[in-house]
mmCIF file of all heavy atoms in Angstrom:
data_model
loop_
_atom_site.group_PDB
_atom_site.id
_atom_site.type_symbol
_atom_site.label_atom_id
_atom_site.label_comp_id
_atom_site.label_asym_id
_atom_site.label_seq_id
_atom_site.Cartn_x
_atom_site.Cartn_y
_atom_site.Cartn_z
ATOM 1 N N SER B 375 21.731 4.273 83.438
ATOM 2 C CA SER B 375 22.749 3.336 82.942
ATOM 3 C C SER B 375 23.865 4.110 82.242
ATOM 4 O O SER B 375 23.792 5.334 82.093
ATOM 5 C CB SER B 375 22.118 2.339 81.963
ATOM 6 O OG SER B 375 21.877 2.982 80.716
ATOM 7 N N GLU B 376 24.865 3.385 81.795
ATOM 8 C CA GLU B 376 25.967 4.024 81.066
ATOM 9 C C GLU B 376 25.508 4.619 79.730
ATOM 10 O O GLU B 376 26.129 5.531 79.195
ATOM 11 C CB GLU B 376 27.100 3.021 80.831
ATOM 12 C CG GLU B 376 27.968 2.780 82.062
ATOM 13 C CD GLU B 376 28.568 4.065 82.643
ATOM 14 O OE1 GLU B 376 29.255 4.802 81.904
ATOM 15 O OE2 GLU B 376 28.321 4.345 83.846
ATOM 16 N N SER B 377 24.385 4.102 79.179
ATOM 17 C CA SER B 377 23.892 4.600 77.881
ATOM 18 C C SER B 377 23.665 6.109 77.931
ATOM 19 O O SER B 377 24.010 6.832 76.987
ATOM 20 C CB SER B 377 22.559 3.938 77.526
ATOM 21 O OG SER B 377 22.684 2.549 77.546
ATOM 22 N N GLU B 378 23.056 6.570 79.025
ATOM 23 C CA GLU B 378 22.724 7.989 79.129
ATOM 24 C C GLU B 378 23.997 8.833 79.212
ATOM 25 O O GLU B 378 24.073 9.916 78.632
ATOM 26 C CB GLU B 378 21.828 8.238 80.346
ATOM 27 C CG GLU B 378 20.402 7.719 80.186
ATOM 28 C CD GLU B 378 20.265 6.215 80.385
ATOM 29 O OE1 GLU B 378 21.203 5.592 80.936
ATOM 30 O OE2 GLU B 378 19.239 5.648 79.961
ATOM 31 N N TRP B 379 24.994 8.322 79.949
ATOM 32 C CA TRP B 379 26.258 9.060 80.030
ATOM 33 C C TRP B 379 26.965 9.097 78.676
ATOM 34 O O TRP B 379 27.549 10.122 78.300
ATOM 35 C CB TRP B 379 27.183 8.451 81.102
ATOM 36 C CG TRP B 379 26.722 8.766 82.500
ATOM 37 C CD1 TRP B 379 26.234 7.894 83.422
ATOM 38 C CD2 TRP B 379 26.710 10.067 83.117
ATOM 39 N NE1 TRP B 379 25.909 8.559 84.588
ATOM 40 C CE2 TRP B 379 26.185 9.893 84.431
ATOM 41 C CE3 TRP B 379 27.064 11.352 82.703
ATOM 42 C CZ2 TRP B 379 26.029 10.954 85.323
ATOM 43 C CZ3 TRP B 379 26.909 12.405 83.596
ATOM 44 C CH2 TRP B 379 26.399 12.209 84.888
ATOM 45 N N LYS B 380 26.877 7.984 77.932
ATOM 46 C CA LYS B 380 27.474 7.970 76.580
ATOM 47 C C LYS B 380 26.826 9.028 75.695
ATOM 48 O O LYS B 380 27.499 9.717 74.919
ATOM 49 C CB LYS B 380 27.295 6.587 75.941
ATOM 50 C CG LYS B 380 28.289 5.553 76.427
ATOM 51 C CD LYS B 380 28.110 4.251 75.637
ATOM 52 C CE LYS B 380 28.741 3.075 76.355
ATOM 53 N NZ LYS B 380 28.171 1.794 75.897
ATOM 54 N N ALA B 381 25.487 9.126 75.823
ATOM 55 C CA ALA B 381 24.765 10.127 75.027
ATOM 56 C C ALA B 381 25.225 11.539 75.411
ATOM 57 O O ALA B 381 25.438 12.394 74.541
ATOM 58 C CB ALA B 381 23.258 9.991 75.256
ATOM 59 N N ARG B 382 25.384 11.756 76.710
ATOM 60 C CA ARG B 382 25.796 13.088 77.176
ATOM 61 C C ARG B 382 27.175 13.456 76.615
ATOM 62 O O ARG B 382 27.400 14.574 76.156
ATOM 63 C CB ARG B 382 25.818 13.102 78.719
ATOM 64 C CG ARG B 382 26.201 14.440 79.351
ATOM 65 C CD ARG B 382 25.054 15.428 79.283
ATOM 66 N NE ARG B 382 25.437 16.790 79.604
ATOM 67 C CZ ARG B 382 25.110 17.436 80.724
ATOM 68 N NH1 ARG B 382 24.363 16.848 81.636
ATOM 69 N NH2 ARG B 382 25.496 18.682 80.932
ATOM 70 N N ILE B 383 28.086 12.462 76.638
ATOM 71 C CA ILE B 383 29.446 12.709 76.119
ATOM 72 C C ILE B 383 29.409 12.954 74.609
ATOM 73 O O ILE B 383 30.062 13.869 74.094
ATOM 74 C CB ILE B 383 30.377 11.526 76.477
ATOM 75 C CG1 ILE B 383 30.586 11.496 78.007
ATOM 76 C CG2 ILE B 383 31.719 11.620 75.746
ATOM 77 C CD1 ILE B 383 31.197 10.207 78.529
ATOM 78 N N LEU B 384 28.602 12.133 73.909
ATOM 79 C CA LEU B 384 28.479 12.297 72.453
ATOM 80 C C LEU B 384 28.053 13.727 72.101
ATOM 81 O O LEU B 384 28.639 14.376 71.227
ATOM 82 C CB LEU B 384 27.450 11.299 71.915
ATOM 83 C CG LEU B 384 27.286 11.260 70.396
ATOM 84 C CD1 LEU B 384 28.387 10.397 69.765
ATOM 85 C CD2 LEU B 384 25.914 10.716 69.999
ATOM 86 N N MET B 385 27.050 14.217 72.813
ATOM 87 C CA MET B 385 26.560 15.572 72.538
ATOM 88 C C MET B 385 27.619 16.611 72.865
ATOM 89 O O MET B 385 27.810 17.582 72.138
ATOM 90 C CB MET B 385 25.286 15.833 73.343
ATOM 91 C CG MET B 385 24.120 14.970 72.873
ATOM 92 S SD MET B 385 22.560 15.386 73.681
ATOM 93 C CE MET B 385 22.844 14.761 75.327
ATOM 94 N N GLU B 386 28.319 16.376 73.985
ATOM 95 C CA GLU B 386 29.322 17.341 74.424
ATOM 96 C C GLU B 386 30.472 17.420 73.417
ATOM 97 O O GLU B 386 31.052 18.489 73.204
ATOM 98 C CB GLU B 386 29.835 16.950 75.818
ATOM 99 C CG GLU B 386 30.395 18.094 76.626
ATOM 100 C CD GLU B 386 29.411 19.217 76.920
ATOM 101 O OE1 GLU B 386 28.215 18.929 77.135
ATOM 102 O OE2 GLU B 386 29.829 20.389 76.924
ATOM 103 N N GLN B 387 30.766 16.285 72.782
ATOM 104 C CA GLN B 387 31.848 16.250 71.798
ATOM 105 C C GLN B 387 31.438 16.883 70.465
ATOM 106 O O GLN B 387 32.299 17.209 69.643
ATOM 107 C CB GLN B 387 32.280 14.797 71.543
ATOM 108 C CG GLN B 387 33.031 14.190 72.723
ATOM 109 C CD GLN B 387 33.240 12.695 72.566
ATOM 110 O OE1 GLN B 387 32.396 12.006 71.985
ATOM 111 N NE2 GLN B 387 34.358 12.187 73.084
ATOM 112 N N SER B 388 30.161 17.032 70.267
ATOM 113 C CA SER B 388 29.666 17.481 68.960
ATOM 114 C C SER B 388 29.796 18.997 68.798
ATOM 115 O O SER B 388 30.094 19.715 69.751
ATOM 116 C CB SER B 388 28.194 17.098 68.814
ATOM 117 O OG SER B 388 27.384 18.011 69.548
ATOM 118 N N SER B 389 29.524 19.437 67.587
ATOM 119 C CA SER B 389 29.531 20.876 67.318
ATOM 120 C C SER B 389 28.155 21.506 67.546
ATOM 121 O O SER B 389 27.969 22.699 67.337
ATOM 122 C CB SER B 389 29.972 21.131 65.879
ATOM 123 O OG SER B 389 29.035 20.544 64.989
ATOM 124 N N SER B 390 27.177 20.708 67.980
ATOM 125 C CA SER B 390 25.864 21.283 68.303
ATOM 126 C C SER B 390 26.022 22.308 69.426
ATOM 127 O O SER B 390 26.907 22.177 70.272
ATOM 128 C CB SER B 390 24.907 20.193 68.806
ATOM 129 O OG SER B 390 24.715 19.198 67.837
ATOM 130 N N ILE B 391 25.137 23.275 69.429
ATOM 131 C CA ILE B 391 25.112 24.233 70.536
ATOM 132 C C ILE B 391 24.379 23.557 71.697
ATOM 133 O O ILE B 391 23.257 23.097 71.529
ATOM 134 C CB ILE B 391 24.378 25.524 70.108
ATOM 135 C CG1 ILE B 391 25.107 26.143 68.910
ATOM 136 C CG2 ILE B 391 24.262 26.494 71.277
ATOM 137 C CD1 ILE B 391 24.279 27.159 68.139
ATOM 138 N N LYS B 392 25.055 23.448 72.846
ATOM 139 C CA LYS B 392 24.453 22.768 73.987
ATOM 140 C C LYS B 392 23.834 23.787 74.938
ATOM 141 O O LYS B 392 24.506 24.737 75.333
ATOM 142 C CB LYS B 392 25.510 21.970 74.767
ATOM 143 C CG LYS B 392 25.820 20.603 74.225
ATOM 144 C CD LYS B 392 26.683 20.612 72.992
ATOM 145 C CE LYS B 392 28.102 21.074 73.269
ATOM 146 N NZ LYS B 392 28.925 21.032 72.007
ATOM 147 N N CYS B 393 22.614 23.567 75.312
ATOM 148 C CA CYS B 393 21.968 24.454 76.277
ATOM 149 C C CYS B 393 21.541 23.623 77.458
ATOM 150 O O CYS B 393 20.447 23.098 77.467
ATOM 151 C CB CYS B 393 20.787 25.164 75.627
ATOM 152 S SG CYS B 393 19.971 26.294 76.782
ATOM 153 N N PRO B 394 22.431 23.424 78.466
ATOM 154 C CA PRO B 394 23.738 24.059 78.606
ATOM 155 C C PRO B 394 24.871 23.112 78.170
ATOM 156 O O PRO B 394 24.693 21.894 78.109
ATOM 157 C CB PRO B 394 23.818 24.263 80.120
ATOM 158 C CG PRO B 394 23.141 23.029 80.668
ATOM 159 C CD PRO B 394 22.063 22.668 79.674
ATOM 160 N N CYS B 395 26.042 23.720 77.918
ATOM 161 C CA CYS B 395 27.253 22.920 77.783
ATOM 162 C C CYS B 395 27.666 22.481 79.189
ATOM 163 O O CYS B 395 27.155 22.980 80.188
ATOM 164 C CB CYS B 395 28.362 23.727 77.106
ATOM 165 S SG CYS B 395 28.790 25.235 77.989
ATOM 166 N N ILE B 396 28.616 21.560 79.269
ATOM 167 C CA ILE B 396 28.963 20.953 80.560
ATOM 168 C C ILE B 396 29.450 22.008 81.564
ATOM 169 O O ILE B 396 29.148 21.909 82.766
ATOM 170 C CB ILE B 396 30.003 19.814 80.364
ATOM 171 C CG1 ILE B 396 30.169 18.992 81.638
ATOM 172 C CG2 ILE B 396 31.339 20.323 79.860
ATOM 173 C CD1 ILE B 396 29.008 18.081 81.941
ATOM 174 N N SER B 397 30.166 23.021 81.072
ATOM 175 C CA SER B 397 30.685 23.998 82.043
ATOM 176 C C SER B 397 29.572 24.910 82.572
ATOM 177 O O SER B 397 29.555 25.241 83.756
ATOM 178 C CB SER B 397 31.840 24.803 81.445
ATOM 179 O OG SER B 397 31.511 25.281 80.181
ATOM 180 N N TYR B 398 28.618 25.286 81.732
ATOM 181 C CA TYR B 398 27.446 26.022 82.223
ATOM 182 C C TYR B 398 26.710 25.200 83.283
ATOM 183 O O TYR B 398 26.262 25.724 84.304
ATOM 184 C CB TYR B 398 26.471 26.336 81.083
ATOM 185 C CG TYR B 398 26.714 27.632 80.326
ATOM 186 C CD1 TYR B 398 28.003 28.085 80.064
ATOM 187 C CD2 TYR B 398 25.644 28.392 79.855
ATOM 188 C CE1 TYR B 398 28.207 29.261 79.346
ATOM 189 C CE2 TYR B 398 25.837 29.564 79.145
ATOM 190 C CZ TYR B 398 27.126 29.999 78.890
ATOM 191 O OH TYR B 398 27.319 31.159 78.185
ATOM 192 N N HIS B 399 26.574 23.906 82.997
ATOM 193 C CA HIS B 399 25.898 23.024 83.946
ATOM 194 C C HIS B 399 26.601 23.084 85.309
ATOM 195 O O HIS B 399 25.960 23.281 86.345
ATOM 196 C CB HIS B 399 25.885 21.592 83.397
ATOM 197 C CG HIS B 399 25.049 20.619 84.201
ATOM 198 N ND1 HIS B 399 24.728 19.370 83.748
ATOM 199 C CD2 HIS B 399 24.499 20.712 85.440
ATOM 200 C CE1 HIS B 399 23.995 18.740 84.661
ATOM 201 N NE2 HIS B 399 23.849 19.530 85.702
ATOM 202 N N LEU B 400 27.926 22.984 85.305
ATOM 203 C CA LEU B 400 28.687 22.980 86.560
ATOM 204 C C LEU B 400 28.594 24.316 87.301
ATOM 205 O O LEU B 400 28.589 24.351 88.538
ATOM 206 C CB LEU B 400 30.151 22.636 86.286
ATOM 207 C CG LEU B 400 30.414 21.171 85.900
ATOM 208 C CD1 LEU B 400 31.869 20.987 85.456
ATOM 209 C CD2 LEU B 400 30.088 20.212 87.042
ATOM 210 N N VAL B 401 28.514 25.412 86.558
ATOM 211 C CA VAL B 401 28.412 26.719 87.216
ATOM 212 C C VAL B 401 27.144 26.797 88.076
ATOM 213 O O VAL B 401 27.103 27.503 89.078
ATOM 214 C CB VAL B 401 28.434 27.871 86.178
ATOM 215 C CG1 VAL B 401 28.246 29.221 86.869
ATOM 216 C CG2 VAL B 401 29.729 27.869 85.389
ATOM 217 N N GLY B 402 26.133 26.022 87.706
ATOM 218 C CA GLY B 402 24.874 26.048 88.457
ATOM 219 C C GLY B 402 24.866 25.200 89.716
ATOM 220 O O GLY B 402 23.844 25.133 90.402
ATOM 221 N N THR B 403 25.988 24.537 90.036
ATOM 222 C CA THR B 403 25.991 23.704 91.256
ATOM 223 C C THR B 403 25.980 24.590 92.497
ATOM 224 O O THR B 403 26.429 25.739 92.479
ATOM 225 C CB THR B 403 27.233 22.783 91.301
ATOM 226 O OG1 THR B 403 28.406 23.608 91.190
ATOM 227 C CG2 THR B 403 27.224 21.777 90.167
ATOM 228 N N LYS B 404 25.483 24.009 93.578
ATOM 229 C CA LYS B 404 25.379 24.779 94.830
ATOM 230 C C LYS B 404 26.755 25.149 95.367
ATOM 231 O O LYS B 404 26.938 26.202 95.981
ATOM 232 C CB LYS B 404 24.586 23.985 95.854
ATOM 233 C CG LYS B 404 23.141 23.785 95.420
ATOM 234 C CD LYS B 404 22.295 23.183 96.500
ATOM 235 C CE LYS B 404 20.871 22.955 96.004
ATOM 236 N NZ LYS B 404 20.785 21.819 95.034
ATOM 237 N N LYS B 405 27.730 24.271 95.156
ATOM 238 C CA LYS B 405 29.078 24.550 95.636
ATOM 239 C C LYS B 405 29.645 25.798 94.963
ATOM 240 O O LYS B 405 30.290 26.630 95.610
ATOM 241 C CB LYS B 405 29.983 23.331 95.379
ATOM 242 C CG LYS B 405 31.410 23.485 95.851
ATOM 243 C CD LYS B 405 31.485 23.638 97.367
ATOM 244 C CE LYS B 405 32.902 23.981 97.826
ATOM 245 N NZ LYS B 405 32.918 24.308 99.275
ATOM 246 N N ILE B 406 29.392 25.941 93.667
ATOM 247 C CA ILE B 406 29.894 27.134 92.966
ATOM 248 C C ILE B 406 29.157 28.377 93.464
ATOM 249 O O ILE B 406 29.758 29.435 93.658
ATOM 250 C CB ILE B 406 29.749 26.974 91.426
ATOM 251 C CG1 ILE B 406 30.626 25.813 90.921
ATOM 252 C CG2 ILE B 406 30.088 28.267 90.697
ATOM 253 C CD1 ILE B 406 32.124 25.998 91.134
ATOM 254 N N GLN B 407 27.856 28.224 93.728
ATOM 255 C CA GLN B 407 27.082 29.341 94.304
ATOM 256 C C GLN B 407 27.754 29.795 95.605
ATOM 257 O O GLN B 407 27.938 30.999 95.839
ATOM 258 C CB GLN B 407 25.642 28.861 94.580
ATOM 259 C CG GLN B 407 24.692 29.951 95.070
ATOM 260 C CD GLN B 407 23.312 29.381 95.480
ATOM 261 O OE1 GLN B 407 23.126 28.162 95.544
ATOM 262 N NE2 GLN B 407 22.365 30.272 95.739
ATOM 263 N N GLN B 408 28.168 28.832 96.413
ATOM 264 C CA GLN B 408 28.797 29.168 97.698
ATOM 265 C C GLN B 408 30.192 29.763 97.492
ATOM 266 O O GLN B 408 30.585 30.710 98.176
ATOM 267 C CB GLN B 408 28.838 27.915 98.571
ATOM 268 C CG GLN B 408 29.432 28.133 99.951
ATOM 269 C CD GLN B 408 30.718 27.346 100.108
ATOM 270 O OE1 GLN B 408 30.730 26.135 99.943
ATOM 271 N NE2 GLN B 408 31.810 28.036 100.438
ATOM 272 N N GLU B 409 30.916 29.239 96.513
ATOM 273 C CA GLU B 409 32.259 29.773 96.237
ATOM 274 C C GLU B 409 32.182 31.221 95.755
ATOM 275 O O GLU B 409 32.997 32.060 96.136
ATOM 276 C CB GLU B 409 32.966 28.919 95.171
ATOM 277 C CG GLU B 409 33.473 27.569 95.679
ATOM 278 C CD GLU B 409 34.650 27.711 96.651
ATOM 279 O OE1 GLU B 409 35.554 28.543 96.379
ATOM 280 O OE2 GLU B 409 34.651 27.008 97.680
ATOM 281 N N LEU B 410 31.181 31.495 94.924
ATOM 282 C CA LEU B 410 31.039 32.854 94.381
ATOM 283 C C LEU B 410 30.686 33.854 95.477
ATOM 284 O O LEU B 410 30.950 35.053 95.342
ATOM 285 C CB LEU B 410 29.969 32.885 93.275
ATOM 286 C CG LEU B 410 30.340 32.177 91.965
ATOM 287 C CD1 LEU B 410 29.117 32.110 91.043
ATOM 288 C CD2 LEU B 410 31.494 32.894 91.261
ATOM 289 N N ALA B 411 30.105 33.355 96.565
ATOM 290 C CA ALA B 411 29.720 34.241 97.660
ATOM 291 C C ALA B 411 30.899 34.588 98.569
ATOM 292 O O ALA B 411 30.786 35.469 99.422
ATOM 293 C CB ALA B 411 28.601 33.599 98.475
#
Side-chain angles (χ1 to χ4, degrees):
Chain B
S375 75
E376 282 304 304
S377 305
E378 288 78 16
W379 286 112
K380 281 185 198 159
R382 181 76 192 252
I383 293 166
L384 185 82
M385 293 186 288
E386 205 61 36
Q387 289 170 327
S388 78
S389 63
S390 300
I391 300 163
K392 277 76 68 179
C393 181
C395 59
I396 191 73
S397 48
Y398 272 37
H399 188 168
L400 288 172
V401 177
T403 56
K404 295 188 182 72
K405 181 64 188 172
I406 296 297
Q407 185 186 9
Q408 182 245 303
E409 285 291 318
L410 290 172

